[in-house]
Amino acid sequence: MDLADDTGAATAEYAVVIMAGVAFAGVLVSIVRSGQVQAMLTDLVQKALTVA
C-alpha cells in the first residue's frame, strides 16, 4: 500500500459534499414546514403581490 496513492479520494470528497448538501436540505425543509415560517412567507408573498 502506497501512502501517496490517492485513488478514490475525489469520490470520497464528492460523497461528503453530497451528504452535507442532503443534511442542509433536510434542515431547510424542516424550517420551511414550520407554521411560523409558512405564515411569514405567505405574508411576504401577499405584500409583494399587493405592491405590484
Side-chain angles (χ1 to χ4, degrees), residues 28-41:
L28 285 179
V29 167
S30 65
I31 289 172
V32 170
R33 286 190 178 203
S34 72
Q36 185 178 5
V37 173
Q38 283 183 349
M40 184 175 62
L41 290 174

Side-chain angles (χ1 to χ4, degrees), residues 6-31:
D6 59 357
T7 303
T11 303
E13 290 168 1
Y14 288 135
V16 169
V17 169
I18 289 171
M19 291 303 295
V22 169
F24 185 68
V27 169
L28 285 179
V29 167
S30 65
I31 289 172

